[in-house]
Amino acid sequence: TDEETIESLRPALSVPGAKVHWYAKSCRPGRKLGHITVTAPNMDELRRRLLELGEPLDVADLDLARPGFERPVVGIIMGSDSDLPTMKACAEVFDQFRVPYELSVVSAHRTPDRMYTYAKEARGRGIQVIVAGAGGAAHLPGMVAALTPLPVIGVPIKTSALNGQDSLLSIVQMPRGVPVATVAIGNAMNAGLLAVRMLAAQDSVGLAARLRGELDLWHDDQRESVEEKAAHLENVKYEQYLSEYGNKDKTYQYLPRIRAAVGHTLDETRLSLTPRGENQQVEKYVGKVRDRYDDGENVVLITTDRLTAFDRPLAKIPFKGQVLNQVSLWWFEQTKHIVNNQLLDYNKDGAVHPNVTLAKRCKTFPIEFVVRGYITGSSGTSLWTHYNKGVRNYCGHLLPEGLRKNQKLATNLCTPTTKSDEHDELIDAETIVKDGWMSAADWEFCERKAQELFAHGQKLARQHGLILVDTKYEFGRDLKTGEILLIDEIHTPDCSRYWIADSYDARMAACAEPEHIDKEFIRLWYRDHCDPYKDEVLPEAPIELVCELSRRYIMLYEKITGKPFDFTRSPGNGDANAAIQAALDKTLAC
């Protein structure tokens, strides 16, 4: 009852720094009726006040898990910015384990006063471990270790004169009483892992407890990686194995892990969510790739591993859902200055679950805004398919004679289609307004924003060595505010074509297809082996093709975001539905 709920909040009225927020909603089981905010001058006092409220503390509630938002606990320093290419491997480890860190240049010889100040003040600023990289004379790690009681890990930087041996001997030969933990030449990754172990060894309920669990998972991942490589080697010829591992693109080394995950994809979801607001039940909609749940207050979008093309399902691709969701979240963040989007605040860095997006409830416009920068494609609605048949008026755009497949267009074109679960149809702007699909004002706003998004996407893709060839956008109206928002997905390899920029000109000159990082090459395979629009039963895509598409998707993720792909959070690691259910229960209960 209301009275019982209010009575349970009374202890908060006597706790310093606690404030009760009562929503004045009608009471029913499972409904959130209010919350308590607790503030304190430090973490120890906050823990005491929370315990005073009578609730046990959850480790996750006290977790230092967001680099950039929490005070750094590790310092990465180096003698010169030229050491950064080596030391970035250490930062990548901290990013992977979500350890807050700072990174700077501190030269023992050129800025001795700065080095002295840094070492003396580090502990007072909350730093618990220092990782110092230095080359040549390499005095930085030892000098810092002499000035602070904090543990110091030294990374010998490889030099041109003595190949890093001078750096190694300088750091490792410290006098008694001034210890520096020294790793191999250039092995900043091990320095990062050693720092994580040091933090995990502490007796605390926050960061250390989380790191202990994640290190256990990391060791399991290392073991499974070796087992997967062994199984892959046993299944392919050694020439193929060597060609994959000799390739400069490290994602080829993911193929054993991808192959091992082929039978463990996320194909469907079975979630139980609580209706909210005025909803009597949760509405579920199964799309081509995403499952959509509407609980009355939030929309839960689950990106599966289903691959569709030619208006039908083709295959299930390992890790595809995670890639699409994480790429989309990254692009939503990069484009929010152009147009507001559907994301709720829970979604930063895939915090809920790598396959999950929590979104605002919107009424979707029945038009997909397809923007094209090149004349290409193999589907029934693609620009090249129509142009090759003699069409010169495409979605209201007049096209010149003499265009070649995969050629860059003189200007980006917005070529809309109707939105359908079965088969999208081409349409032009005049018909959209005349037939009442959208108002003129809504069409003009969305078309303008689609063009701005595409231009910005092309610019960022180029900076990462990619060409954003074409894509589609969807817009909807926020049911609460009436604002037009960007929804669904953005610039993923499912809704976009990407080509490798460096090889484009040479391949065009040779009349060869560009290097794809999207599902176009699997479309072409089906085109060559069947009629995907008419054949009732389609052939099964070869496992090599499925694994290669997964690898290309992961490569796109790493190229675009600059982050290593996190296999440990994928559906292949246990029951994906159970993991998603647990993540949503925890998030939506807040």
Side-chain angles (χ1 to χ4, degrees):
T1 65
D2 287 353
E3 292 75 16
E4 290 171 333
T5 304
I6 293 173
E7 186 63 29
S8 68
L9 299 175
R10 291 193 185 280
L13 300 179
S14 60
V15 175
K19 184 176 181 180
V20 176
H21 302 264
W22 181 249
Y23 300 162
K25 294 181 179 179
S26 60
C27 185
R28 69 164 183 260
R31 190 176 198 183
K32 183 179 178 182
L33 299 178
H35 70 271
I36 301 172
T37 301
V38 183
T39 60
N42 55 62
M43 287 300 294
D44 288 339
E45 178 62 17
L46 179 61
R47 293 187 186 98
R48 190 191 66 76
R49 293 180 182 182
L50 288 171
L51 289 169
E52 196 173 334
L53 287 174
E55 294 294 331
L57 296 184
D58 189 323
V59 167
D61 294 333
L62 303 174
D63 201 0
L64 297 174
R66 288 191 178 181
F69 290 89
E70 299 289 346
R71 187 170 64 177
V73 295
V74 179
I76 305 175
I77 56 176
M78 63 205 80
S80 168
D81 61 351
S82 63
D83 301 334
L84 185 56
T86 298
M87 298 302 292
K88 74 171 185 176
C90 180
E92 288 171 350
V93 170
F94 297 146
D95 286 335
Q96 178 181 349
F97 284 91
R98 295 174 293 145
V99 172
Y101 64 91
E102 62 186 22
L103 188 151
S104 189
V105 175
V106 180
S107 173
H109 301 117
R110 297 183 182 90
T111 58
D113 291 340
R114 174 176 167 79
M115 178 200 67
Y116 183 91
T117 302
Y118 183 92
K120 283 295 188 181
E121 295 181 353
R123 184 169 64 165
R125 292 186 292 104
I127 299 296
Q128 299 175 37
V129 184
I130 295 174
V131 181
H139 290 153
L140 180 63
M143 292 301 294
V144 170
L147 292 166
T148 178
L150 296 176
V152 176
I153 303 170
V155 180
I157 304 295
K158 186 176 180 179
T159 55
S160 57
L162 295 173
N163 216 27
Q165 296 182 51
D166 49 348
S167 314
L168 173 62
L169 293 174
S170 177
I171 297 173
V172 79
Q173 291 284 22
M174 291 301 299
R176 291 183 183 135
V178 187
V180 176
T182 312
V183 297
I185 297 170
N187 200 336
M189 177 184 177
N190 271 5
L193 287 170
L194 182 56
V196 170
R197 291 185 178 196
M198 289 178 175
L199 294 170
Q202 297 177 10
D203 184 19
S204 69
V205 297
L207 178 64
R210 174 173 64 76
L211 290 179
R212 286 193 289 272
E214 293 192 7
L215 280 169
D216 287 340
L217 292 175
W218 186 85
H219 284 291
D220 290 342
D221 187 57
Q222 293 285 295
R223 173 182 51 78
E224 290 169 3
S225 176
V226 173
E227 293 171 351
E228 289 161 0
K229 289 177 182 178
H232 186 51
L233 178 58
E234 293 164 5
N235 281 293
V236 300
K237 294 181 178 180
Y238 73 86
E239 295 94 343
Q240 178 183 337
Y241 189 92
L242 289 175
S243 69
E244 291 170 356
Y245 278 79
N247 195 292
K248 291 182 179 179
D249 186 347
K250 70 174 184 177
T251 59
Y252 279 96
Q253 299 179 25
Y254 299 158
L255 285 171
R257 176 166 291 178
I258 292 169
R259 179 183 281 268
V262 166
H264 306 282
T265 52
L266 177 60
D267 184 31
E268 60 179 349
T269 60
R270 302 175 299 278
L271 304 179
S272 177
L273 303 180
T274 303
R276 298 169 184 270
E278 302 303 321
N279 275 26
Q280 298 301 310
Q281 62 182 15
V282 175
E283 298 176 4
K284 179 182 178 182
Y285 167 77
V286 178
K288 296 175 182 177
V289 175
R290 286 171 182 77
D291 290 357
R292 180 181 183 273
Y293 294 80
D294 185 341
D295 68 6
E297 290 185 1
N298 313 287
V299 170
V300 180
L301 298 171
I302 316 294
T303 309
T304 70
D305 295 324
R306 301 190 293 262
L307 176 71
T308 63
F310 309 110
D311 302 317
R312 63 194 300 177
L314 297 181
K316 295 181 283 291
I317 309 298
F319 309 112
K320 174 178 177 284
Q322 182 175 343
V323 168
L324 296 188
N325 196 57
Q326 297 296 293
V327 167
S328 209
L329 291 176
W330 188 87
W331 276 111
F332 275 128
E333 182 67 21
Q334 305 305 313
T335 57
K336 63 185 181 182
H337 66 287
I338 297 174
V339 61
N340 288 332
N341 58 58
Q342 65 183 354
L343 298 189
L344 294 170
D345 292 338
Y346 305 106
N347 294 287
K348 186 170 181 60
D349 295 329
V352 181
H353 183 278
N355 292 66
V356 175
T357 292
L358 290 178
K360 301 171 184 176
R361 301 177 73 224
C362 295
K363 180 174 176 57
T364 305
F365 290 115
I367 296 294
E368 293 185 349
F369 292 76
V370 182
V371 186
R372 306 176 188 272
Y374 293 75
I375 179 168
T376 191
S378 58
S379 69
T381 58
S382 73
L383 177 52
W384 175 250
T385 298
H386 283 258
Y387 188 87
N388 199 35
K389 293 178 179 179
V391 174
R392 294 297 180 267
N393 188 330
Y394 183 81
C395 296
H397 300 287
L398 297 178
L399 302 172
E401 297 291 339
L403 295 179
R404 295 171 53 202
K405 187 183 181 186
N406 303 323
Q407 181 179 338
K408 182 175 175 59
L409 297 168
T411 184
N412 294 332
L413 303 179
C414 183
T415 58
T417 67
T418 58
K419 182 174 172 56
S420 170
D421 292 335
E422 297 179 358
H423 185 67
D424 301 335
E425 298 288 347
L426 296 169
I427 194 170
D428 59 58
E430 182 180 353
T431 305
I432 288 172
V433 175
K434 182 182 68 175
D435 291 356
W437 293 86
M438 297 178 69
S439 70
D442 288 347
W443 160 259
E444 290 169 4
F445 175 84
C446 293
E447 194 272 342
R448 183 175 73 255
K449 292 302 178 182
Q451 289 280 13
E452 292 175 11
L453 289 166
F454 190 66
H456 187 62
Q458 285 184 310
K459 178 183 176 182
L460 290 187
R462 273 285 183 174
Q463 292 173 4
H464 292 82
L466 301 171
I467 296 174
L468 178 58
V469 179
D470 52 37
T471 193
K472 65 96 176 169
Y473 304 102
E474 294 187 36
F475 295 90
R477 194 179 296 281
D478 189 321
L479 292 180
K480 286 185 178 180
T481 66
E483 181 183 12
I484 295 178
L485 303 176
L486 178 66
I487 65 170
D488 194 49
E489 62 181 329
I490 173 173
H491 298 167
T492 72
D494 245 28
C495 70
S496 315
R497 285 186 180 88
Y498 284 95
W499 295 337
I500 300 294
D502 287 345
S503 61
Y504 171 74
D505 290 336
R507 295 181 77 87
M508 280 294 289
C511 297
E513 284 290 312
E515 291 184 90
H516 300 276
I517 316 184
D518 52 58
K519 61 184 179 182
E520 180 64 15
F521 82 98
I522 208 166
R523 285 194 193 104
L524 296 174
W525 184 89
Y526 274 98
R527 281 281 197 187
D528 292 341
H529 290 80
C530 62
D531 186 334
Y533 282 114
K534 295 181 179 179
D535 291 354
E536 184 175 344
V537 178
L538 299 185
E540 186 174 342
I543 189 171
E544 291 78 12
L545 207 66
V546 168
C547 293
E548 173 61 13
L549 183 58
S550 176
R551 183 195 70 79
R552 294 189 190 192
Y553 272 37
I554 294 171
M555 178 173 67
L556 176 80
Y557 169 84
E558 294 190 344
K559 278 182 171 289
I560 285 293
T561 67
K563 300 177 182 177
F565 185 73
D566 185 359
F567 287 93
T568 62
R569 303 182 67 199
S570 66
N573 293 315
D575 185 340
N577 274 279
I580 292 171
Q581 182 73 61
L584 289 172
D585 288 346
K586 180 178 180 180
T587 302
L588 296 178
C590 298

Coordinates of all heavy atoms in Angstrom, one line a residue, residues 214-272:
E214 N 36.9 -10.0 -13.2 CA 37.2 -9.8 -14.6 C 38.5 -10.5 -15.0 O 38.7 -10.9 -16.1 CB 37.2 -8.3 -15.0 CG 35.8 -7.7 -14.8 CD 35.7 -6.3 -15.5 OE1 36.7 -5.9 -16.1 OE2 34.7 -5.7 -15.3
L215 N 39.5 -10.5 -14.1 CA 40.7 -11.2 -14.3 C 40.5 -12.7 -14.5 O 41.1 -13.4 -15.3 CB 41.7 -10.9 -13.2 CG 42.5 -9.6 -13.3 CD1 43.2 -9.3 -12.0 CD2 43.4 -9.6 -14.5
D216 N 39.6 -13.3 -13.7 CA 39.2 -14.7 -13.8 C 38.7 -14.9 -15.2 O 39.0 -15.9 -15.9 CB 38.2 -15.1 -12.8 CG 38.8 -15.2 -11.4 OD1 40.1 -15.4 -11.3 OD2 38.1 -15.2 -10.4
L217 N 37.8 -14.1 -15.7 CA 37.2 -14.2 -17.0 C 38.3 -14.0 -18.1 O 38.3 -14.7 -19.1 CB 36.1 -13.1 -17.2 CG 34.8 -13.3 -16.4 CD1 33.9 -12.1 -16.6 CD2 34.1 -14.6 -16.7
W218 N 39.2 -13.1 -17.9 CA 40.3 -12.9 -18.8 C 41.2 -14.2 -19.0 O 41.5 -14.5 -20.1 CB 41.2 -11.7 -18.4 CG 42.2 -11.3 -19.4 CD1 42.0 -10.5 -20.4 CD2 43.6 -11.7 -19.4 NE1 43.2 -10.3 -21.1 CE2 44.1 -11.1 -20.5 CE3 44.3 -12.6 -18.6 CZ2 45.5 -11.3 -20.9 CZ3 45.7 -12.8 -19.0 CH2 46.2 -12.1 -20.1
H219 N 41.5 -14.8 -17.9 CA 42.3 -16.0 -17.9 C 41.5 -17.1 -18.6 O 42.1 -17.9 -19.4 CB 42.7 -16.5 -16.5 CG 43.8 -15.6 -15.9 ND1 45.1 -15.7 -16.4 CD2 43.8 -14.7 -14.9 CE1 45.9 -14.9 -15.8 NE2 45.1 -14.2 -14.9
D220 N 40.2 -17.2 -18.4 CA 39.4 -18.2 -19.1 C 39.4 -17.9 -20.6 O 39.5 -18.9 -21.4 CB 37.9 -18.2 -18.6 CG 37.8 -18.7 -17.2 OD1 38.7 -19.4 -16.7 OD2 36.8 -18.4 -16.5
D221 N 39.3 -16.7 -20.9 CA 39.4 -16.3 -22.3 C 40.7 -16.6 -23.0 O 40.7 -17.1 -24.1 CB 39.1 -14.7 -22.4 CG 38.9 -14.3 -23.8 OD1 38.0 -14.8 -24.5 OD2 39.7 -13.4 -24.3
Q222 N 41.8 -16.5 -22.3 CA 43.1 -16.9 -22.8 C 43.2 -18.4 -23.1 O 43.6 -18.8 -24.1 CB 44.2 -16.5 -21.8 CG 44.4 -15.0 -21.6 CD 45.1 -14.3 -22.8 OE1 46.2 -14.6 -23.1 NE2 44.4 -13.5 -23.5
R223 N 42.7 -19.1 -22.2 CA 42.7 -20.6 -22.3 C 41.8 -21.0 -23.5 O 42.2 -21.8 -24.4 CB 42.1 -21.3 -21.1 CG 41.9 -22.8 -21.2 CD 41.4 -23.4 -19.9 NE 40.2 -22.7 -19.4 CZ 39.0 -22.8 -20.0 NH1 38.8 -23.6 -21.0 NH2 38.0 -22.2 -19.5
E224 N 40.6 -20.4 -23.6 CA 39.7 -20.8 -24.7 C 40.2 -20.3 -26.0 O 40.0 -21.0 -27.1 CB 38.3 -20.1 -24.5 CG 37.5 -20.7 -23.3 CD 36.3 -19.8 -22.9 OE1 36.1 -18.8 -23.6 OE2 35.7 -20.2 -21.9
S225 N 41.0 -19.2 -26.1 CA 41.6 -18.8 -27.3 C 42.6 -19.8 -27.9 O 42.6 -20.1 -29.1 CB 42.3 -17.4 -27.1 OG 43.0 -17.0 -28.3
V226 N 43.4 -20.4 -27.0 CA 44.3 -21.4 -27.4 C 43.6 -22.7 -27.9 O 43.9 -23.2 -29.0 CB 45.3 -21.8 -26.3 CG1 46.2 -23.0 -26.7 CG2 46.2 -20.6 -25.9
E227 N 42.6 -23.0 -27.2 CA 41.8 -24.2 -27.6 C 41.1 -24.0 -29.0 O 41.1 -24.9 -29.8 CB 40.8 -24.6 -26.5 CG 41.4 -25.0 -25.2 CD 40.4 -25.2 -24.1 OE1 39.2 -24.7 -24.3 OE2 40.7 -25.7 -23.0
E228 N 40.6 -22.8 -29.2 CA 40.0 -22.5 -30.5 C 41.0 -22.5 -31.6 O 40.7 -23.0 -32.7 CB 39.3 -21.1 -30.3 CG 38.0 -21.1 -29.5 CD 37.6 -19.7 -29.0 OE1 38.3 -18.8 -29.4 OE2 36.6 -19.6 -28.3
K229 N 42.2 -21.9 -31.4 CA 43.2 -22.0 -32.4 C 43.6 -23.4 -32.7 O 43.8 -23.7 -33.9 CB 44.4 -21.2 -31.9 CG 44.2 -19.7 -31.9 CD 45.4 -19.0 -31.4 CE 45.2 -17.4 -31.3 NZ 46.4 -16.7 -30.7
A230 N 43.7 -24.2 -31.7 CA 44.1 -25.6 -32.0 C 43.0 -26.3 -32.8 O 43.3 -27.1 -33.8 CB 44.3 -26.3 -30.6
A231 N 41.7 -26.1 -32.5 CA 40.6 -26.7 -33.2 C 40.6 -26.2 -34.7 O 40.4 -26.9 -35.6 CB 39.3 -26.4 -32.5
H232 N 40.9 -24.9 -34.9 CA 40.9 -24.3 -36.2 C 42.0 -24.9 -37.0 O 41.9 -25.3 -38.2 CB 41.1 -22.8 -36.1 CG 41.0 -22.1 -37.4 ND1 39.9 -22.3 -38.3 CD2 41.8 -21.1 -38.0 CE1 40.1 -21.5 -39.3 NE2 41.2 -20.8 -39.2
L233 N 43.2 -25.1 -36.4 CA 44.4 -25.6 -37.1 C 44.1 -27.1 -37.6 O 44.5 -27.5 -38.6 CB 45.6 -25.6 -36.3 CG 46.9 -26.2 -36.8 CD1 47.3 -25.5 -38.1 CD2 48.0 -26.0 -35.8
E234 N 43.3 -27.8 -36.7 CA 43.0 -29.2 -37.0 C 42.0 -29.3 -38.1 O 41.8 -30.4 -38.7 CB 42.5 -29.9 -35.8 CG 43.6 -30.0 -34.7 CD 43.0 -30.4 -33.3 OE1 41.8 -30.5 -33.2 OE2 43.8 -30.4 -32.4
N235 N 41.3 -28.2 -38.4 CA 40.2 -28.2 -39.4 C 40.5 -27.6 -40.8 O 39.8 -27.7 -41.7 CB 38.9 -27.5 -38.9 CG 38.2 -28.4 -37.9 OD1 37.6 -29.4 -38.2 ND2 38.2 -28.0 -36.6
V236 N 41.7 -26.9 -40.8 CA 42.0 -26.3 -42.1 C 43.5 -26.7 -42.5 O 44.2 -27.2 -41.7 CB 42.0 -24.7 -42.0 CG1 40.6 -24.2 -41.6 CG2 43.0 -24.2 -41.0
K237 N 43.8 -26.4 -43.7 CA 45.2 -26.7 -44.2 C 46.1 -25.7 -43.5 O 45.8 -24.6 -43.3 CB 45.3 -26.7 -45.7 CG 44.5 -27.7 -46.4 CD 44.6 -27.6 -47.9 CE 43.9 -28.7 -48.6 NZ 44.0 -28.6 -50.1
Y238 N 47.4 -26.2 -43.3 CA 48.3 -25.3 -42.6 C 48.6 -24.1 -43.4 O 48.9 -23.0 -42.9 CB 49.6 -26.1 -42.2 CG 50.5 -26.4 -43.4 CD1 51.5 -25.5 -43.9 CD2 50.4 -27.6 -44.1 CE1 52.3 -25.8 -44.9 CE2 51.3 -27.9 -45.1 CZ 52.2 -27.0 -45.6 OH 53.0 -27.3 -46.6
E239 N 48.5 -24.2 -44.8 CA 48.8 -23.0 -45.6 C 47.8 -21.9 -45.4 O 48.1 -20.7 -45.3 CB 48.8 -23.4 -47.1 CG 49.9 -24.4 -47.6 CD 49.4 -25.8 -47.5 OE1 48.4 -26.1 -46.8 OE2 50.1 -26.6 -48.1
Q240 N 46.5 -22.3 -45.2 CA 45.4 -21.3 -44.9 C 45.6 -20.7 -43.6 O 45.5 -19.5 -43.4 CB 44.0 -22.0 -45.0 CG 42.9 -21.0 -44.6 CD 41.5 -21.7 -44.6 OE1 41.4 -22.8 -45.3 NE2 40.6 -21.2 -43.9
Y241 N 46.0 -21.6 -42.6 CA 46.2 -21.1 -41.2 C 47.3 -20.0 -41.2 O 47.2 -19.0 -40.6 CB 46.5 -22.2 -40.3 CG 46.5 -21.9 -38.8 CD1 45.4 -22.0 -38.1 CD2 47.7 -21.4 -38.2 CE1 45.4 -21.7 -36.7 CE2 47.7 -21.1 -36.9 CZ 46.6 -21.2 -36.1 OH 46.6 -20.9 -34.8
L242 N 48.4 -20.3 -41.9 CA 49.6 -19.4 -41.9 C 49.2 -18.1 -42.6 O 49.7 -17.0 -42.2 CB 50.8 -20.1 -42.5 CG 51.4 -21.2 -41.7 CD1 52.5 -21.9 -42.5 CD2 52.0 -20.6 -40.4
S243 N 48.4 -18.2 -43.7 CA 48.1 -17.0 -44.4 C 47.2 -16.1 -43.6 O 47.3 -14.9 -43.6 CB 47.4 -17.4 -45.7 OG 46.1 -17.9 -45.5
E244 N 46.3 -16.7 -42.8 CA 45.4 -15.9 -41.9 C 46.3 -15.2 -40.8 O 46.1 -14.0 -40.5 CB 44.4 -16.8 -41.3 CG 43.4 -17.3 -42.3 CD 42.5 -18.4 -41.7 OE1 42.7 -18.8 -40.5 OE2 41.6 -18.9 -42.4
Y245 N 47.2 -16.0 -40.2 CA 47.9 -15.4 -39.1 C 49.1 -14.5 -39.6 O 49.7 -13.7 -38.8 CB 48.4 -16.5 -38.2 CG 47.3 -16.9 -37.2 CD1 46.3 -17.7 -37.6 CD2 47.2 -16.4 -35.9 CE1 45.3 -18.1 -36.8 CE2 46.2 -16.7 -35.1 CZ 45.2 -17.6 -35.5 OH 44.2 -17.9 -34.7
G246 N 49.5 -14.6 -40.8 CA 50.5 -13.8 -41.4 C 50.0 -12.5 -41.9 O 50.7 -11.6 -42.2
N247 N 48.6 -12.3 -42.0 CA 48.0 -11.1 -42.5 C 48.2 -10.0 -41.5 O 48.1 -10.1 -40.3 CB 46.5 -11.4 -42.8 CG 45.9 -10.3 -43.6 OD1 45.8 -9.1 -43.2 ND2 45.5 -10.7 -44.8
K248 N 48.5 -8.8 -42.1 CA 48.7 -7.6 -41.2 C 47.5 -7.2 -40.4 O 47.6 -6.6 -39.4 CB 49.2 -6.4 -42.1 CG 50.6 -6.6 -42.7 CD 51.0 -5.4 -43.4 CE 52.4 -5.5 -44.0 NZ 52.8 -4.4 -44.8
D249 N 46.3 -7.5 -41.0 CA 45.1 -7.2 -40.2 C 44.9 -8.2 -39.1 O 44.6 -9.4 -39.4 CB 43.9 -7.2 -41.2 CG 42.6 -6.8 -40.6 OD1 42.5 -6.7 -39.3 OD2 41.6 -6.5 -41.3
K250 N 44.9 -7.8 -37.9 CA 44.9 -8.7 -36.8 C 43.6 -9.5 -36.7 O 43.5 -10.5 -36.0 CB 45.2 -8.0 -35.5 CG 44.1 -7.0 -35.0 CD 44.4 -6.5 -33.6 CE 43.3 -5.6 -33.1 NZ 43.6 -5.1 -31.8
T251 N 42.5 -8.9 -37.3 CA 41.2 -9.6 -37.2 C 41.2 -11.0 -37.8 O 40.3 -11.8 -37.5 CB 40.1 -8.7 -37.8 OG1 40.3 -8.5 -39.2 CG2 39.9 -7.4 -37.1
Y252 N 42.2 -11.3 -38.7 CA 42.2 -12.6 -39.2 C 42.5 -13.6 -38.1 O 42.2 -14.8 -38.2 CB 43.3 -12.7 -40.3 CG 42.9 -12.2 -41.6 CD1 43.1 -10.9 -42.1 CD2 42.2 -13.1 -42.5 CE1 42.7 -10.5 -43.3 CE2 41.7 -12.6 -43.7 CZ 42.0 -11.3 -44.1 OH 41.5 -10.9 -45.4
Q253 N 43.2 -13.1 -37.1 CA 43.5 -14.0 -35.9 C 42.3 -14.3 -35.1 O 42.3 -15.2 -34.2 CB 44.6 -13.4 -35.1 CG 45.9 -13.2 -35.8 CD 47.0 -12.5 -35.0 OE1 46.9 -12.6 -33.7 NE2 47.9 -11.8 -35.6
Y254 N 41.2 -13.6 -35.4 CA 39.9 -13.9 -34.7 C 39.2 -15.1 -35.3 O 38.2 -15.6 -34.7 CB 39.0 -12.7 -34.7 CG 39.5 -11.4 -34.0 CD1 39.0 -10.2 -34.4 CD2 40.5 -11.5 -33.1 CE1 39.5 -9.0 -33.8 CE2 41.0 -10.3 -32.5 CZ 40.5 -9.1 -32.8 OH 40.9 -7.9 -32.2
L255 N 39.6 -15.6 -36.4 CA 38.8 -16.6 -37.2 C 38.6 -17.9 -36.3 O 37.5 -18.4 -36.4 CB 39.4 -16.9 -38.5 CG 39.2 -15.8 -39.6 CD1 40.0 -16.1 -40.8 CD2 37.7 -15.7 -40.0
P256 N 39.5 -18.4 -35.6 CA 39.3 -19.6 -34.8 C 38.2 -19.3 -33.8 O 37.3 -20.2 -33.6 CB 40.6 -19.8 -34.1 CG 41.6 -19.2 -35.0 CD 41.0 -18.0 -35.6
R257 N 38.2 -18.2 -33.1 CA 37.2 -17.8 -32.2 C 35.8 -17.7 -32.8 O 34.8 -18.1 -32.3 CB 37.5 -16.6 -31.4 CG 36.5 -16.1 -30.4 CD 37.1 -15.0 -29.5 NE 38.1 -15.6 -28.6 CZ 38.8 -14.9 -27.7 NH1 38.6 -13.6 -27.7 NH2 39.6 -15.5 -27.0
I258 N 35.8 -17.1 -34.0 CA 34.5 -16.9 -34.7 C 34.0 -18.2 -35.1 O 32.8 -18.5 -35.0 CB 34.8 -16.0 -36.0 CG1 35.1 -14.5 -35.6 CG2 33.6 -16.0 -36.9 CD1 35.6 -13.7 -36.7
R259 N 34.8 -19.1 -35.7 CA 34.3 -20.4 -36.1 C 33.8 -21.2 -34.9 O 32.7 -21.9 -35.0 CB 35.5 -21.2 -36.7 CG 35.1 -22.6 -37.1 CD 36.3 -23.4 -37.7 NE 36.6 -23.0 -39.0 CZ 36.1 -23.6 -40.1 NH1 35.3 -24.6 -39.9 NH2 36.5 -23.2 -41.3
A260 N 34.4 -21.1 -33.7 CA 33.9 -21.8 -32.5 C 32.6 -21.3 -32.1 O 31.8 -22.0 -31.4 CB 34.9 -21.6 -31.4
A261 N 32.2 -20.0 -32.5 CA 30.9 -19.4 -32.0 C 29.8 -19.6 -33.0 O 28.7 -19.1 -32.8 CB 31.2 -17.9 -31.8
V262 N 30.1 -20.3 -34.1 CA 29.1 -20.4 -35.2 C 27.8 -21.0 -34.6 O 26.7 -20.6 -35.0 CB 29.6 -21.2 -36.4 CG1 28.5 -21.7 -37.3 CG2 30.6 -20.4 -37.1
G263 N 27.8 -22.0 -33.8 CA 26.6 -22.6 -33.2 C 26.1 -22.0 -32.0 O 25.2 -22.5 -31.4
H264 N 26.6 -20.8 -31.7 CA 26.2 -20.1 -30.4 C 25.7 -18.7 -30.6 O 26.1 -17.8 -29.9 CB 27.3 -20.2 -29.4 CG 27.8 -21.6 -29.1 ND1 27.2 -22.5 -28.3 CD2 28.9 -22.2 -29.6 CE1 27.9 -23.6 -28.3 NE2 28.9 -23.4 -29.1
T265 N 24.9 -18.5 -31.7 CA 24.5 -17.1 -32.0 C 23.2 -16.8 -31.4 O 22.5 -17.7 -30.9 CB 24.3 -17.0 -33.6 OG1 23.5 -18.1 -34.0 CG2 25.7 -17.1 -34.3
L266 N 22.9 -15.5 -31.3 CA 21.6 -15.0 -30.8 C 20.6 -14.9 -31.9 O 20.7 -13.9 -32.7 CB 21.8 -13.7 -30.1 CG 20.5 -13.0 -29.5 CD1 19.9 -13.9 -28.5 CD2 20.9 -11.7 -28.9
D267 N 19.7 -15.8 -32.0 CA 18.7 -15.9 -33.1 C 17.4 -15.3 -32.7 O 16.7 -14.6 -33.5 CB 18.6 -17.3 -33.6 CG 17.7 -17.4 -34.8 OD1 17.6 -16.4 -35.6 OD2 17.0 -18.4 -35.0
E268 N 16.9 -15.5 -31.5 CA 15.7 -15.0 -31.0 C 15.8 -14.7 -29.6 O 16.7 -15.1 -28.8 CB 14.6 -16.1 -31.2 CG 14.8 -17.4 -30.5 CD 13.7 -18.4 -30.7 OE1 12.7 -18.0 -31.2 OE2 13.9 -19.6 -30.3
T269 N 14.8 -13.8 -29.1 CA 14.8 -13.4 -27.7 C 13.5 -13.9 -27.0 O 12.5 -13.9 -27.7 CB 15.0 -11.9 -27.6 OG1 13.9 -11.2 -28.2 CG2 16.3 -11.5 -28.2
R270 N 13.6 -14.2 -25.8 CA 12.5 -14.6 -25.0 C 12.6 -13.9 -23.6 O 13.1 -14.5 -22.6 CB 12.5 -16.1 -24.8 CG 12.4 -16.9 -26.1 CD 12.6 -18.4 -25.9 NE 13.8 -18.8 -25.2 CZ 15.0 -18.9 -25.8 NH1 15.1 -18.7 -27.1 NH2 16.1 -19.2 -25.1
L271 N 12.1 -12.7 -23.6 CA 12.3 -11.8 -22.4 C 11.0 -11.6 -21.7 O 9.9 -11.6 -22.3 CB 12.9 -10.5 -22.8 CG 14.2 -10.5 -23.5 CD1 14.7 -9.1 -23.8 CD2 15.3 -11.3 -22.7
S272 N 11.0 -11.5 -20.4 CA 9.8 -11.2 -19.6 C 10.0 -9.8 -18.9 O 10.8 -9.7 -18.0 CB 9.6 -12.3 -18.5 OG 8.6 -12.0 -17.7

